[in-house]
Amino acid sequence: MSRHSAAGPHVRGFGPLTGIGDEAAPGTDGQLAALRRLGWDAIELRTVDGTALADLSAAAFGTLARRLADEGVTVIAVASRIGNWSRPITGDLGQDLAELDVLAERCATLGCRLVRIMSYPNDGLTETEWADRVLARTAVLADRAERAGLVLVHENCAGWAGDRAERALRLLRAVDSPALRLLFDTGNGVPYGYRAPDILRDLAPYVVHVHIKDAVRTPDGGTAYTLPGEGEAGVVECLELLAAHGYTGALSLEPHLAVRPHEGLARAGEDAADLFVRAGQALSGLLYAEQRVTGPLGGPA
């Protein structure tokens, strides 16, 4: 897979185009095949055959690492479960620390530094107590991550700091660590009820990783996911904001067209790879269309 393919990275100054592999297929073969169809040579890891990266056996992880190396595929980031929708603030911090310790070793093997986290859904606490516990827990996690050479990237998703820019900024200030930065998902504003570009304006200077998805609200108040650029999430506006702030990190596809773990849809079906590839092609089309009109980084063409 060539780093200089037409659908490849470094469009408009951004880093590589990549994606969360299990959105295309459960197993390594299918995940890599989808990347090849797009001409991409980078991946974000979450699960393999339905098992989270941190829970893979040593043998299974060794096989995965060798396969990625043999294929020349770079691991850009790891999407962990730390602080996510399945782990409320009242849960055991030890579970997250244990996962982080395993991922530290595995990221070292994979040559990857970015680990996605969230900031813990509430579980009956007052707003003040919820905030205090999130800030304290994240500081502990960031300290351990820094000692391991990792950077935790907090996503605008489930948790205390997930849907408000002021809370995300407060989290960064309170923890005050180079091992804590932000992951921005372009599509999460639709289900969580905010305009992604509106909060990205404040958060962009601290964003070091980006997920790309798009969605629309349905008449019943639910969320339907679309190809990038076809929904209401403001994907193009987000890309323009990131470019204006000099963002040079990866754009990682997480289309949610076939896999949505938070809804219990956790294993890709037969059409998942095709949907993933179509979403990747749509993202590439957006980037190249914008570049033809505006030139690199939003400047004159």
Side-chain angles (χ1 to χ4, degrees), residues 78-212:
V78 169
S80 83
R81 297 160 294 180
I82 295 169
N84 82 351
W85 47 269
S86 68
R87 296 187 179 177
I89 190 61
T90 52
D92 179 13
L93 175 60
Q95 185 179 24
D96 286 334
L97 291 171
E99 180 166 353
L100 183 58
D101 286 345
V102 173
L103 291 178
E105 294 181 1
R106 295 188 168 182
C107 285
T109 299
L110 296 168
C112 167
R113 296 186 65 217
L114 302 183
V115 176
R116 187 278 305 276
I117 68 167
M118 297 180 197
S119 53
Y120 299 96
N122 200 0
D123 188 24
L125 304 182
T126 66
E127 289 287 323
T128 299
E129 188 174 9
W130 183 24
D132 289 346
R133 289 198 190 187
V134 167
L135 297 177
R137 283 188 173 208
T138 308
V140 171
L141 290 161
D143 178 68
R144 188 165 296 196
E146 184 174 5
R147 286 185 276 118
L150 298 176
V151 177
L152 304 179
V153 287
H154 173 270
E155 182 176 354
N156 55 315
C157 191
W160 176 77
D163 61 357
R164 303 184 196 179
E166 63 270 21
R167 287 186 177 181
L169 294 173
R170 180 181 170 193
L171 183 66
L172 290 173
R173 288 193 302 268
V175 174
D176 191 23
S177 168
L180 179 66
R181 290 294 180 267
L182 300 181
L183 183 166
F184 193 81
D185 188 304
T186 63
N188 284 346
V190 175
Y192 284 95
Y194 61 86
R195 285 196 76 251
D198 290 347
I199 73 167
L200 180 57
R201 286 187 180 89
D202 293 325
L203 300 181
Y206 310 98
V207 171
V208 299
H209 191 52
V210 170
H211 283 172
I212 299 292

Side-chain angles (χ1 to χ4, degrees), residues 204-229:
Y206 310 98
V207 171
V208 299
H209 191 52
V210 170
H211 283 172
I212 299 292
K213 67 165 65 78
D214 205 346
V216 297
R217 295 293 285 183
T218 58
D220 63 358
T223 302
Y225 292 92
T226 72
L227 296 177

Side-chain angles (χ1 to χ4, degrees), residues 247-259:
Y247 177 77
T248 58
L251 301 177
S252 185
L253 189 66
E254 189 192 15
H256 271 14
L257 295 171
V259 174

Side-chain angles (χ1 to χ4, degrees), residues 236-263:
V236 171
E237 190 175 350
C238 287
L239 292 171
E240 293 290 351
L241 285 167
L242 290 164
H245 280 273
Y247 177 77
T248 58
L251 301 177
S252 185
L253 189 66
E254 189 192 15
H256 271 14
L257 295 171
V259 174
R260 296 185 291 280
H262 63 289
E263 296 178 11

